[in-house]
Amino acid sequence: MDELPIWSGDDVVRVRQHVRVVAAASGLSLVDQTKLVTAASELARNALVHGGGGTARVEVVKSANGKAGVRIGFADDGPGIADIDLALTDGWTSGDGLGLGLSGARRLVDEFELTSKAGRGTSVVVVKWSR
Ligand SMILES: Nc1ncnc2c1ncn2[C@@H]1O[C@H](COP(=O)(O)OP(=O)(O)OP(=O)(O)O)[C@@H](O)[C@H]1O
Ligand SMILES: [Mg+2]
């Protein structure tokens, strides 16, 4: 398991690059690598912009039927998300973004788990499986 900091735009770029390397090594197709990298990029940016910085934990996992996958956990200690359903709505943003990062990321991965409470930070765990 690799833990990467997310405190700057350069860190977001490093998370992207690291996820690409791990996804390729784990045997994800080029298309699936790109989907995971895109999702990771949005979630890392959210941790930075909305969460005030945090970490990404990247690891290779094996499913019960022997498939390889990549799991990434993003965590921040920011203000949290009061209404998760609203945050996951296409086009909803609390700022001046497009409001497509969270909803788009969810569509690009196989598993998506968002845990957050107002005032308690945000955790998003995603998994992409090889097929
Ligand atoms: N880590 C986080 N901490 C706190 N709030 C968050 C976090 N991630 C997302 N949110 C909230 O959910 C909303 C939707 O996130 P989403 O990524 O979809 O849109 P955005 O970041 O505003 O714009 P963009 O389309 O540029 O990503 C954000 O505007 C923000 O209010
Ligand atoms: Mg976003």
Side-chain angles (χ1 to χ4, degrees):
M1 155 129 68
D2 307 303
E3 184 170 322
L4 288 81
I6 308 173
W7 296 106
S8 69
D10 285 352
D11 286 342
V12 174
V13 172
R14 277 189 280 274
V15 168
R16 279 184 78 98
Q17 290 167 342
H18 186 72
V19 169
R20 170 70 74 179
V21 168
V22 172
S26 77
L28 292 193
S29 72
L30 206 50
V31 170
D32 285 342
Q33 290 173 37
T34 301
K35 287 180 178 176
L36 184 63
V37 168
T38 304
S41 183
E42 290 297 334
L43 296 172
R45 189 152 291 287
N46 279 353
L48 176 65
V49 171
H50 304 296
T55 56
R57 289 192 174 85
V58 185
E59 64 185 320
V60 175
V61 288
K62 268 250 158 80
S63 73
N65 55 2
K67 285 192 174 173
V70 180
R71 177 192 290 141
I72 315 172
F74 297 87
D76 67 62
D77 294 316
I81 300 176
D83 188 334
I84 292 175
D85 286 342
L86 187 61
L88 280 164
T89 302
D90 271 345
W92 189 85
T93 176
S94 62
D96 53 8
L98 292 175
L100 292 172
L102 217 46
S103 53
R106 178 159 69 167
R107 282 191 290 268
L108 289 169
V109 296
D110 297 317
E111 294 177 29
F112 182 99
E113 210 173 285
L114 197 167
T115 315
S116 185
K117 278 212 172 104
R120 296 248 196 104
T122 299
S123 154
V124 186
V125 179
V126 300
V127 183
K128 191 80 185 164
W129 296 109
S130 61
R131 41 204 89 242

